[in-house]
Amino acid sequence: MTFTVLEFTVMVASVSFVAGLLGSLTGLGGGVVLVPLLTTFFHVDIRYAIGASLVSVIATSSGAAASYVKEGFSNIRIGMFLEIATTFGALLGAFLATRMPTNALAIIFGAVLLYSAFLSRKPRPQAQRNLPPDPLATRLRLNGSFPDEDGQRFYNVQRVPAGFSLMFGAGALSGLLGIGSGAVKVLAMDQAMQIPFKVSTTTSNFMIGVTAAASAGIYLSRGYVDPGLAMPVMLGVLGGSLLGSRILVKAETQSLRLVFATVILVLGLQMLYKGIWGNI
Amino acid sequence: MPERLLKPFQPQPWRDRRIEIILGNLLRTGVLLSAAVVLCGACIYLSCHAHEPTDYRVFRGEPSDYRTIPGVIQSVRNGRGRGLIQLGLLLLIATPIARVVFSIVGFAIERDRMYVAFTLIVLAVLLYSLLGSGVGL
């Protein structure tokens, strides 16, 4: 069945609004569910879906940056240094995306969705880290501090090469699939580099926009960004995520995360199925 | 290893914070501006094409009017809604690039040459993607 332009715009904008709202409330990001929803329910070619999703990722990351910055957790030196890795990765990812068969894209997408769902259920250890300074991190001036209940807390960044390599991978995934790949970015900073979780998530958000901009130019010039599709996706996701950052539903976040993680899991399985049985 | 290098580095928190807040506001302004342009384009597009059928099933790639900066500007001049939407999306892509440019200024004020160099590398990649891949043509 086909929709008229008006029907299509209203429906895609509504779905994108809900995705942006849930992504913002749960901290899992809205971009990751958009591509499977667009391909499954609206029968959009995965390349158009990826182009529209990438554009919306820039909007949410940049729109949220102002409020994150005020909290004083993000570290612009860590962000800028790691953006070298993510932007080169994003170029590679966008380059691969234009050459890869759509089935392979769907399979990788499915795997990333399953990983995101798994990660969101894993309990996060709240370790009090008190690590010695790492010479390379010190030379790169990555160590920093953030406000805590009892004044400023200082932290020392560890394992810079491992984090930098993971960030290259995060950038490549972002360029390949049109997602923010915040989950991999946080993994690189929080797990590999031992950066405090709050600093990792806010710095990651700050980096997502620049990373996505690095592949957006390539997507645009290859004709992946369709105005009729990108318009409702971008406006919907941006509206949803701005609303999500304003309302506080602390009590229900846990169950909301569970619901959203289940949605991600189902969509991931579906993408894998479609990728393997050539139905995309 | 000289002892100097092992001392924890303390960026001037006040200056860093101020730069970050300016950058954050710059990003928000850019996003809201581009959203406004996209919305204007959407109104024109919907008023002209609301009842036409959609089909995104088959990937054809966009025509050059919506793939390059000169093409987009030309279609905006012709009063096309989709051209205006693409212009808004170009503004959106330019927003993080502007942030990177301002970061260079911020690091230069702090006389942090290493980070000026890092930021220039990131800027070069971004400009290559936007201009080198054919969007500028």
Side-chain angles (χ1 to χ4, degrees), chain A residues 222-244:
Chain A
R222 295 283 158 88
Y224 281 41
V225 181
D226 181 88
L229 177 66
M231 174 265 288
V233 170
M234 178 248 183
L235 292 177
V237 172
L238 182 64
S241 67
L242 287 181
L243 181 69

Side-chain angles (χ1 to χ4, degrees), chain B residues 2 20-21 47-48 50 52 62 66 77 79 85 87-88 90 95 98 101 130 132:
Chain B
E20 282 187 56
I21 287 171
S47 68
C48 298
E52 287 169 22
E62 295 305 304
Y66 306 133
R77 283 221 184 107
I85 293 173
L87 181 71
L90 279 172
T95 302
V101 171
L130 196 59

Side-chain angles (χ1 to χ4, degrees), chain A residues 159-239:
Chain A
R159 288 188 285 181
V160 177
F164 196 81
S165 316
L166 274 172
M167 278 295 171
F168 181 81
L173 277 182
S174 166
L176 188 64
L177 306 176
I179 56 175
S181 69
V184 185
K185 287 193 172 85
V186 173
L187 177 83
M189 288 195 269
D190 176 58
Q191 298 292 312
M193 301 174 83
Q194 303 280 308
I195 298 167
F197 189 73
K198 193 78 186 160
V199 178
S200 300
T201 49
T202 50
T203 307
S204 153
N205 177 76
F206 218 59
M207 297 170 61
I208 284 171
V210 171
T211 309
S215 39
I218 293 176
Y219 276 114
L220 199 72
S221 69
R222 295 283 158 88
Y224 281 41
V225 181
D226 181 88
L229 177 66
M231 174 265 288
V233 170
M234 178 248 183
L235 292 177
V237 172
L238 182 64

Side-chain angles (χ1 to χ4, degrees), chain A residues 3-6 45 48 55 62 69-70 74 77 138-142 206 214 217 220-221 223 225-226, chain B residues 5 17 20 31 49-50 52 54 56-57 60-62 67 86 92 99 110 112 114-115 119 129 133 135:
Chain A
F3 304 115
T4 67
V5 167
L6 186 62
D45 183 277
Y48 283 133
V55 165
S62 303
V69 160
K70 288 205 182 79
S74 58
R77 279 192 170 74
T138 308
R139 200 188 303 226
L140 290 168
R141 298 175 201 154
L142 298 178
F206 218 59
L220 199 72
S221 69
V225 181
D226 181 88
Chain B
L5 289 178
R17 288 275 294 138
E20 282 187 56
V31 170
H49 303 281
E52 287 169 22
T54 52
Y56 292 104
R57 246 169 248 255
R60 291 181 208 91
E62 295 305 304
R67 272 196 289 129
Q86 288 309 71
L92 185 67
R99 191 210 113 192
E110 293 189 0
D112 189 338
M114 181 165 59
Y115 273 84
T119 314
S129 163
S133 60
V135 183

Side-chain angles (χ1 to χ4, degrees), chain B residues 3-127:
Chain B
E3 205 174 294
R4 182 176 61 86
L5 289 178
L6 292 173
K7 258 192 343 202
F9 174 75
Q10 307 250 340
Q12 302 94 319
W14 179 78
R15 268 203 200 152
D16 258 24
R17 288 275 294 138
R18 229 179 57 136
I19 291 169
E20 282 187 56
I21 287 171
I22 292 170
L23 289 178
N25 289 330
L26 174 90
L27 287 173
R28 179 178 283 178
T29 311
V31 170
L32 294 181
L33 182 71
S34 76
V37 174
V38 169
L39 203 59
C40 290
C43 293
I44 300 173
Y45 169 59
L46 289 177
S47 68
C48 298
H49 303 281
H51 302 294
E52 287 169 22
T54 52
D55 187 12
Y56 292 104
R57 246 169 248 255
V58 183
F59 180 76
R60 291 181 208 91
E62 295 305 304
S64 67
D65 280 10
Y66 306 133
R67 272 196 289 129
T68 64
I69 295 169
V72 168
I73 290 169
Q74 190 55 47
S75 67
V76 170
R77 283 221 184 107
N78 296 341
R80 300 195 60 107
R82 273 173 286 184
L84 205 54
I85 293 173
Q86 288 309 71
L87 181 71
L89 299 181
L90 279 172
L91 283 175
L92 185 67
I93 297 172
T95 302
I97 301 179
R99 191 210 113 192
V100 171
V101 171
F102 276 81
S103 303
I104 296 177
V105 178
F107 287 128
I109 292 171
E110 293 189 0
R111 296 178 191 287
D112 189 338
R113 274 195 224 149
M114 181 165 59
Y115 273 84
V116 170
F118 287 166
T119 314
L120 281 171
I121 296 172
V122 172
L123 182 65
V125 176
L126 291 174
L127 291 181

